[in-house]
Amino acid sequence: MIPLHIKQLERSGKRDTAFLLGSGVMMVPAWMFSTAVFVALLAGFWKGKGDLLPWGIAAVVAVASAHLLPGKWYILLGALAGSIVGGLRNAD
C-alpha cells in the first residue's frame, strides 16, 4: 500500500525536497541502529582468535559467490563454507 502523498508525487511528476530530506533523516538512525545490532550479534558469537579462519573463509566465499553467481546464493554458500571450516576445526 503506497501512502497518498507518494501517489500524489507520482501523478504530478514533481519532486518534493522536504519528503526526500525527511526520508533521509529517518533512514540514518534506522541504519545506525541496525548496524549496532549486527555488531552486537557478532560480538556475542566471538570466541577468540580461533574464529578468524571460519569467518574469513565465509567472507571470501560469500564475496566470490556474489560476483560469480546470480541471486542470493552467496548467503547460503558463505554460511555453509564457514560452518564446514568451523566444524572441521572443532573436530580435532
Side-chain angles (χ1 to χ4, degrees):
M1 175 175 245
I2 298 175
L4 182 60
H5 184 68
I6 294 175
K7 286 184 180 182
Q8 290 171 346
L9 286 175
E10 289 175 351
R11 275 189 243 129
S12 69
K14 295 180 183 177
R15 292 184 172 88
D16 189 349
T17 305
F19 180 77
L20 180 62
L21 181 64
S23 299
V25 167
M26 293 308 295
M27 282 188 215
V28 170
W31 183 271
M32 292 172 62
F33 176 75
S34 61
T35 301
V37 169
F38 181 71
V39 170
L41 287 171
L42 285 179
F45 285 120
W46 181 257
K47 302 284 189 256
K49 290 182 183 179
D51 287 342
L52 285 176
L53 181 63
W55 286 19
I57 296 293
V60 169
V61 170
V63 169
S65 300
H67 288 291
L68 298 174
L69 298 173
K72 306 291 183 190
W73 286 101
Y74 65 93
I75 298 169
L76 178 64
L77 294 175
L80 188 60
S83 297
I84 289 171
V85 170
L88 292 174
R89 181 182 55 99
N90 289 334
D92 296 335

